[in-house]
Amino acid sequence: MQYECAAPFLRRGRRFSPPARYQSVGFMSHNTFGHLFRVTTWGESHGPALGCVVDGCPPGIRFRLEELQAWLDKRKPGQSRFVTQRREDDLVKVLSGVMSDDDGETMITTGTPVSMLIENTDQRSKDYGEIARRYRPGHADYAYDVKYGIRDYRGGGRSSARETAARVAAGGLARKVVPGVTVRAALVQIGKHRINRANWDWAQVDQNPFFAPDAAIVPVWEDYLDGIRKAGSSIGAVVEVIAEGVPAGLGAPIYGKLDQDIASLLMSINAVKGVEIGEGFAAAELTGEDNADEMRMGNDGKPLFLSNHAGGILGGISTGQPLVARFAIKPTSSILTERQSIDADGNNVDVRTKGRHDPCVGIRAVPIGEAMVACAIADHYLRDRGQTGRVR
Ligand SMILES: Cc1cc2nc3c(=O)[nH]c(=O)nc-3n(C[C@H](O)[C@H](O)[C@H](O)COP(=O)(O)O)c2cc1C
């Protein structure tokens, strides 16, 4: 395969030739995840559009566009003063792989690739002119340049979390693949301020701009984030994802464990720096007596777990308990404070990131985390059929 731009080209008046080793391989790759429910995303922050192709979605899955749109609406920017003010409607179009039912609204998958498209409508590339040759600390700028020798500096290009809109669209479809599964997420920590878990109420999550399950934390986070925002700074957060109704038996040991794949997909979300399943890192402080989930036979003749420290997965296989995963998001790197860096010409520079940014990207990561877990479950549901021949 030939590198598309194998011929030297001008880059800001200088001749740029891709390194020889890139000229014989297609080096932009790894944009696909999943084995049977296989999602490929494409597109950049400041291109005309972005989207995904879901190849392997079974035939006969019924959904309405508004159901997919509801997930995208949850992720879209500009919905409160605590997220970026970029205005994108994030309207999703389904281009292929479906037929309309007689009601004209329900779409039915045909088993062929489902392609979905979301247009970018509010790009402001001029915000990024100054950093075309400067590496913003904490961003992917330097790393992309080192790897590819060329970088789309407008909004971070492919490294921008705009791409995650496509994942959320795929996740909307994934939710339909496994009957009876519910995947929900909530923000459980911003900076040092954690929710009180005793107050957990799912009904609260859609009632506040943070997706917080604890109404009492909302004014605390509002005050705290207002201070962070006005200072032009940013802060990290923790998101918890819980999937209920996951059938027992999903997961493909040894190298396709369910927890392994969930961790991998959550880790692939921009700015995620840590993933936990069940007790996660807290398990290091527990004794065997405290940690192992005891079992009894339930009155209904089914096994009953007396706790869920494992987060619903043992030996890489789902147990039928709720699946619990958590991920930590780093503070947004784009901040107004000047930070030390270098430019592409090897000069020391100071960088202050202008443009519109989320002061806490953890908020909008909530629906993205849900989507990635939904995709992992859908993929493993289909893989399990292939492995065992069973329909669970
Ligand atoms: C929903 C969401 C929105 C984001 N928005 C921004 C942003 O406005 N500014 C920023 O510096 N980083 C933002 N990020 C994080 C960057 O995309 C990410 O830090 C960058 O690509 C480098 O990748 P890494 O942090 O995974 O190493 C966002 C992440 C998510 C999940």
Side-chain angles (χ1 to χ4, degrees):
M1 204 190 295
Q2 279 295 307
Y3 171 58
E4 277 182 12
C5 301
F9 58 88
L10 280 180
R11 188 178 172 204
R12 283 255 168 142
R14 295 191 327 176
R15 227 172 131 77
F16 172 76
S17 221
R21 66 181 182 279
Y22 294 151
Q23 296 187 15
S24 58
V25 289
F27 68 81
M28 275 303 241
S29 53
H30 301 292
N31 293 292
T32 301
F33 62 87
H35 287 245
L36 293 183
F37 190 87
R38 205 163 168 71
V39 180
T40 302
T41 73
W42 54 268
E44 291 83 21
S45 172
H46 284 51
L50 52 89
C52 65
V53 177
V54 182
D55 193 5
C57 183
I61 303 286
R62 303 168 70 88
F63 67 97
R64 280 175 291 115
L65 195 58
E66 67 200 50
E67 292 178 281
L68 290 192
Q69 191 58 52
W71 301 119
L72 281 141
D73 288 349
K74 212 171 155 180
R75 194 216 71 102
K76 76 180 179 189
Q79 302 198 81
S80 79
R81 66 182 187 274
F82 305 111
V83 298
T84 174
Q85 296 306 301
R86 181 168 171 167
R87 297 274 162 192
E88 294 285 357
D89 287 337
D90 280 355
L91 295 177
V92 61
K93 289 182 194 159
V94 180
L95 305 181
S96 68
V98 294
M99 295 201 22
S100 267
D101 200 0
D102 292 343
D103 64 8
E105 283 185 12
T106 307
M107 297 190 187
I108 311 173
T109 58
T110 58
T112 59
V114 180
S115 183
M116 295 188 266
L117 178 137
I118 299 146
E119 281 174 22
N120 286 326
T121 56
D122 188 22
Q123 310 97 310
R124 274 199 218 154
S125 303
K126 66 174 167 43
D127 284 346
Y128 295 92
E130 272 181 30
I131 53 101
R133 297 190 62 72
R134 294 167 172 222
Y135 301 131
R136 295 166 300 169
H139 274 271
D141 302 349
Y142 171 71
Y144 266 56
D145 235 357
V146 163
K147 184 173 176 70
Y148 299 113
I150 180 169
R151 166 171 73 94
D152 182 351
Y153 57 82
R154 302 158 309 156
R158 183 76 178 150
S159 76
S160 157
R162 273 301 290 152
E163 179 270 346
T164 59
R167 306 181 192 209
V168 171
L173 195 54
R175 288 171 188 271
K176 297 281 178 183
V177 171
V178 189
V181 166
T182 313
V183 185
R184 296 183 284 191
L187 200 65
V188 296
Q189 185 176 342
I190 294 183
K192 288 189 177 156
H193 303 281
R194 296 162 197 254
I195 62 155
N196 177 352
R197 302 185 80 86
N199 294 343
W200 192 296
D201 176 4
W202 281 113
Q204 288 300 322
V205 169
D206 292 324
Q207 307 296 318
N208 63 75
F210 304 109
F211 303 119
D214 168 12
I217 198 78
V218 174
V220 177
W221 283 353
E222 272 173 349
D223 277 359
Y224 179 63
L225 264 193
D226 272 337
I228 294 276
R229 193 172 53 86
K230 283 175 190 158
S233 186
S234 66
I235 189 71
V238 178
V239 175
E240 184 161 319
V241 190
I242 301 180
E244 286 162 299
V246 179
L250 307 193
I254 288 181
Y255 297 115
K257 292 180 175 175
L258 185 57
D259 41 359
Q260 171 190 348
D261 285 352
I262 286 172
S264 164
L265 291 190
L266 291 178
M267 201 72 198
S268 76
I269 301 172
N270 315 45
V272 171
K273 288 290 145 191
V275 178
E276 296 185 331
I277 306 287
E279 287 295 338
F281 278 77
E285 294 178 17
L286 297 180
T287 62
E289 291 87 338
D290 291 335
N291 184 63
D293 301 313
E294 294 182 273
M295 296 178 77
R296 283 287 186 229
M297 280 314 292
N299 294 333
D300 56 1
K302 292 183 183 161
L304 185 71
F305 285 92
L306 306 185
S307 56
N308 188 13
H309 298 290
I313 302 172
L314 289 169
I317 301 172
S318 59
T319 61
Q321 289 226 80
L323 215 143
V324 183
R326 235 167 278 108
F327 56 96
I329 301 259
K330 76 186 193 186
T332 323
S333 305
S334 305
I335 47 175
L336 289 176
T337 321
E338 236 170 29
R339 312 302 295 157
Q340 299 180 68
S341 189
I342 56 167
D343 67 16
D345 303 310
N347 303 307
N348 288 332
V349 294
D350 291 329
V351 180
R352 187 172 170 269
T353 315
K354 293 187 201 151
R356 301 156 295 173
H357 304 284
D358 294 87
C360 175
V361 299
I363 302 170
R364 290 175 54 231
V366 170
I368 307 167
E370 289 179 352
M372 296 315 271
V373 171
C375 287
I377 295 169
D379 188 40
H380 272 281
Y381 181 73
L382 301 176
R383 283 157 77 176
D384 175 62
R385 284 189 196 173
Q387 278 193 303
T388 66
R390 291 188 184 154
V391 178
R392 298 185 195 273

